[in-house]
Amino acid sequence: MPFMPVKFNLPKRVKLAQGLWMLYWFSVIVGILIFSLGIFFKIELRKRSEMMDNNESHLVPNLLILMGMLACGINTFGGKVCHDCLDPIKFTKWKPMLKMYLLLCCGFSMLLLLTALLCILMQFAVYLTLAEGLKNGIKFYKDTDTPGRCFMKRALDLTQIEFRCCGNNNFRDWFEVQWISNRYLDMSNDEVKDRVLSNVEGKYLMDSVPFSCCNPGSSRPCIQHHLTNNSAHYDYDLRTEELNIWMRGCREALFSYYSSMMNSIGALVFATIILELADMAGLKYLSTALETMVDPENPECESKGWLLEKGIKETFTELLAKLKMLGKKTNQVEEGRDATVDTT
Amino acid sequence: MVLLKMKFTQQRRVHLAQGLWLLSWLAVMCGAFVFCLGVYLKTELLRREEVMDNTEIHVVPNILMMVGLASVGTNWVASRVCQDSLEGSRFPRWKVLLLAWFVVAALLCCLLIAAVVLSYALQGHLEESLKVGLRNGIRFYKDTDVPGRCFQKETIDRLQMEFRCCGNNNFRDWFEVQWVSNRYLDFTSKEVKDRIRSNVDGRYLLDSVPFSCCNPASPRPCLQNHLTDNSAHYDYEYQSEELNLYNRGCRQALIDYYMGLMNSIGPGVLSVILIQMSVLLSLRYLQTAVEGAMALENPEDDSEGYLLEKGVKETFEEIKANVLSMLKFRQVDPTSTEESPEAANAKKVADNTKEKAGSSTPAS
């Protein structure tokens, strides 16, 4: 008893073929969209790779690019089959390939599912990479004379300005590192010497932040230095001051940016999976409807289409039996080979 | 003597009509494109309207938007004319409209050329407007508690950060205004009192700049305060220091930005003008060829298409003669002296077009 049978006459078949053709071309456009989103994501990761210590994982965008190209190819082929199917001569050319093609589509949908899951799950990896990268970024902020790190200062300043954030978790991260290079410190000055000596590691630590932490929306000119000293500035209280510098940490800001991007891409990939399944179902109906025509010479005759030839349970048991047969065959071949080896 | 005469067979007429139909749809899309360019330019100007003193420069995007919309309608009419041109029954109803169409299309081309010319001519006005606007912006930077000016600080800060500039001409503009509000000055402090008294207007002037002037590409953490005092900072000489702050003034930065925008819009507009002109000329050829064919005994025969029935000079003389005869006619008529000058002009133009219609469609 076929699974979900539907009766077809000529107008219905024609409509199904046309609708399916349009659906396949829509899927091609969606494939192109996934491809371009993969490229966009790759570019975004590359742009901020300095904040991630240059060891961010490009698995997700590469996979998206690959999936996009595969989707274009597979769906173009499907569209071509639909275009030709109402012509019996052309259809006989495609008939033997259809089973293989549907299996390929199944495999492709599995891959899409894997991609969508990776989009959602890799966010953790991005979070950890960002935490590590920003910590190093703040540490190397002052090393503008070290080859390989001389642009860290500019990158971090521009990131803090663009994403409206300060430090890794918050602005106090800047209090724990020396972010002014020794080249610009007057070591003969008493104040500088005191500060450096008061610290175990000999670092020049301050309760100040770089200018890129400043919030332009503050009604007061930016207070960068002596942030924890309320008496250093007129009418200033650190605990109540909210608008002076950005309160958010850059890890939080960057992560929410990437996370929203990955979530939307993941949602789009899920939608593509549903689209692919609809394509497959339509093609199965169309091919079975064309194959079961009562009178092949008369195009106006009725026919029946279905998703599975037998019910779900029976198809499943058949599949298991086939796999068992395949397993037995390989065992027999191996036994045969062992026997011949033994006899020699 | 006809201007630029061409022979048209029935086949050629059909090809011309089809090609012109496609060209006029292309022109419709170009009109939409010009409209979008106008909208884009206007939005960019409106975004920074807080640092501009007047809106004279807005005439350029306004013209582009108007012309874009008008050319969408005009070229759509042209495509309809093309569709009807090969049917003898439907074409005559367009006869009266076509002359007006030519005038409108020529006017649109002139307006587009005017827009391109204005975009260069108004550069001086834009610069003046920015000079005054930025000067006010810097003056009112500290007034974050005054209604109507409370966002001036944020606007100027974001402008300086985005366009990588400082001050009006350069960073020294900040030395001449008090940009720290009195609310944040401790008037009991001796230093503050000294500074205010040393100034004639009682302003608290500093040789410092706001944080938004800082250049992130500098290898050294930004030095904002005591900029002219070399001894205030270790290993610092302000005459040779180039990377610490942005060197460019915001007026120059904004002028460069807007001129760059208009320069990139320029070629697009020029190509739209070319397309519009080609639609105009092709439609004229189609009109004369089809009318010529309709006047023949056998409409499928060859006909002639031309741009002007007489030469340029002769057509011009004819128009002038018609205008003069109209004037003479009016002088004979005593009631015409009460007419207002605008009405007289409008009548002249209307008569002009009627005469043109009379001279260019002899077959009707």
Side-chain angles (χ1 to χ4, degrees), chain A residues 6 8 13 16 91 98 281-293 303-309:
Chain A
V6 176
F8 282 100
R13 276 199 297 271
L16 177 64
F91 184 61
L98 274 180
L283 190 64
K284 183 71 176 169
Y285 270 124
L286 187 63
S287 62
T288 46
L290 286 171
E291 280 164 11
T292 61
M293 283 207 284
S303 64
K304 223 164 142 190
W306 56 72
L307 279 181
L308 294 171
E309 204 176 343

Side-chain angles (χ1 to χ4, degrees), chain A residues 294-331:
Chain A
V294 174
D295 180 12
E297 301 298 315
N298 175 18
E300 306 249 337
C301 68
E302 299 243 316
S303 64
K304 223 164 142 190
W306 56 72
L307 279 181
L308 294 171
E309 204 176 343
K310 306 185 177 75
I312 297 184
K313 230 179 176 181
E314 290 158 346
T315 320
F316 197 54
T317 45
E318 228 181 80
L319 202 68
L320 278 178
K322 260 199 209 149
L323 283 172
K324 269 193 208 151
M325 286 281 288
L326 204 67
K328 260 195 210 150
K329 255 197 220 158
T330 47
N331 276 340

Side-chain angles (χ1 to χ4, degrees), chain A residues 144 153 185-186 216 218-219 224, chain B residues 144 153 186 216 218-219 224 234:
Chain A
T144 45
K153 176 183 178 293
L185 291 173
D186 183 8
S218 161
S219 47
Q224 285 177 249
Chain B
T144 46
K153 177 184 176 295
D186 182 8
S218 160
Q224 284 176 253
Y234 179 67

Side-chain angles (χ1 to χ4, degrees), chain A residues 41 119-120 122-124 126-127 130 251-266:
Chain A
F41 190 34
C119 271
I120 310 289
M122 285 294 278
Q123 292 178 28
F124 295 112
V126 169
Y127 187 80
L130 275 173
R251 187 179 61 217
E252 205 50 54
L254 280 168
F255 178 65
S256 73
Y257 173 68
Y258 279 117
S259 147
S260 61
M261 205 191 301
M262 288 169 95
N263 281 339
S264 358
I265 293 180

Side-chain angles (χ1 to χ4, degrees), chain A residues 141-142 144 153-154 157-158 161 164 179-188 211-212 214-222 224-225 234-235 246, chain B residues 141-142 144 153-154 157-158 161 164 179-188 211-212 214-222 224-225 234-235 246:
Chain A
Y141 184 83
K142 65 176 178 7
T144 45
K153 176 183 178 293
R154 189 177 73 175
D157 277 334
L158 288 174
I161 290 175
R164 308 187 188 194
W179 54 272
I180 299 187
S181 173
N182 283 334
R183 290 177 287 155
Y184 306 119
L185 291 173
D186 183 8
M187 291 299 178
S188 55
F211 78 93
S212 43
C214 286
N215 182 355
S218 161
S219 47
R220 179 175 192 162
C222 188
Q224 285 177 249
H225 305 286
Y234 181 66
D235 191 19
W246 301 117
Chain B
Y141 184 84
K142 64 178 182 1
T144 46
K153 177 184 176 295
E154 188 170 354
D157 278 335
R158 286 205 190 283
M161 286 198 293
R164 305 183 194 199
W179 55 272
V180 183
S181 173
N182 285 334
R183 290 177 289 155
Y184 307 118
L185 291 173
D186 182 8
F187 284 98
T188 57
F211 79 93
S212 42
C214 286
N215 185 356
S218 160
R220 178 177 194 158
C222 185
Q224 284 176 253
N225 306 312
Y234 179 67
D235 190 20
Y246 292 126

Side-chain angles (χ1 to χ4, degrees), chain A residues 48-310:
Chain A
R48 318 213 186 271
S49 65
E50 273 174 320
M51 295 297 113
M52 297 194 254
D53 245 357
N54 290 328
N55 64 2
E56 73 275 11
S57 161
H58 279 257
L59 173 66
V60 173
N62 290 342
L63 204 55
L64 282 172
I65 291 172
L66 183 67
M67 289 294 125
M69 291 200 290
L70 275 180
C72 280
I74 287 179
N75 292 321
T76 314
F77 181 76
K80 184 89 179 72
V81 169
C82 282
H83 185 74
D84 289 345
C85 64
L86 288 174
D87 182 355
I89 306 164
K90 287 193 192 159
F91 184 61
T92 44
K93 194 172 58 165
W94 296 119
K95 231 196 297 202
M97 294 194 241
L98 274 180
K99 192 158 184 217
M100 207 65 236
Y101 175 70
L102 282 173
L103 280 176
L104 189 67
C105 281
C106 260
F108 179 63
S109 303
M110 297 288 164
L111 279 177
L112 277 178
L113 187 64
L114 178 70
T115 309
L117 286 176
L118 273 178
C119 271
I120 310 289
L121 294 177
M122 285 294 278
Q123 292 178 28
F124 295 112
V126 169
Y127 187 80
L128 294 172
T129 323
L130 275 173
E132 192 62 34
L134 280 170
K135 200 171 74 182
N136 289 337
I138 292 175
K139 217 168 41 158
F140 302 141
Y141 184 83
K142 65 176 178 7
D143 296 333
T144 45
D145 51 351
T146 312
R149 291 192 208 144
C150 39
F151 292 116
M152 184 55 91
K153 176 183 178 293
R154 189 177 73 175
L156 194 51
D157 277 334
L158 288 174
T159 305
Q160 291 193 146
I161 290 175
E162 191 184 331
F163 284 87
R164 308 187 188 194
C165 58
C166 188
N168 200 344
N169 299 302
N170 53 39
F171 62 91
R172 289 171 205 275
D173 297 319
W174 290 106
F175 298 171
E176 297 159 15
V177 295
Q178 178 181 348
W179 54 272
I180 299 187
S181 173
N182 283 334
R183 290 177 287 155
Y184 306 119
L185 291 173
D186 183 8
M187 291 299 178
S188 55
N189 186 322
D190 281 334
E191 196 227 321
V192 173
K193 277 195 280 196
D194 280 342
R195 232 182 234 278
V196 170
L197 286 170
S198 72
N199 183 270
V200 175
E201 294 153 38
K203 289 194 284 186
Y204 183 79
L205 301 179
M206 298 184 291
D207 54 349
S208 308
V209 291
F211 78 93
S212 43
C213 282
C214 286
N215 182 355
S218 161
S219 47
R220 179 175 192 162
C222 188
I223 296 173
Q224 285 177 249
H225 305 286
H226 308 297
L227 283 169
T228 50
N229 185 3
N230 282 350
S231 57
H233 314 279
Y234 181 66
D235 191 19
Y236 170 73
D237 187 353
L238 173 64
R239 285 158 302 172
T240 54
E241 192 66 50
E242 275 178 355
L243 281 177
N244 184 39
I245 49 178
W246 301 117
M247 286 295 154
R248 202 164 59 151
C250 284
R251 187 179 61 217
E252 205 50 54
L254 280 168
F255 178 65
S256 73
Y257 173 68
Y258 279 117
S259 147
S260 61
M261 205 191 301
M262 288 169 95
N263 281 339
S264 358
I265 293 180
L268 180 68
V269 175
F270 271 122
T272 314
I273 293 174
I274 296 177
L275 193 63
E276 281 295 316
L277 290 175
D279 284 336
M280 272 163 47
L283 190 64
K284 183 71 176 169
Y285 270 124
L286 187 63
S287 62
T288 46
L290 286 171
E291 280 164 11
T292 61
M293 283 207 284
V294 174
D295 180 12
E297 301 298 315
N298 175 18
E300 306 249 337
C301 68
E302 299 243 316
S303 64
K304 223 164 142 190
W306 56 72
L307 279 181
L308 294 171
E309 204 176 343
K310 306 185 177 75

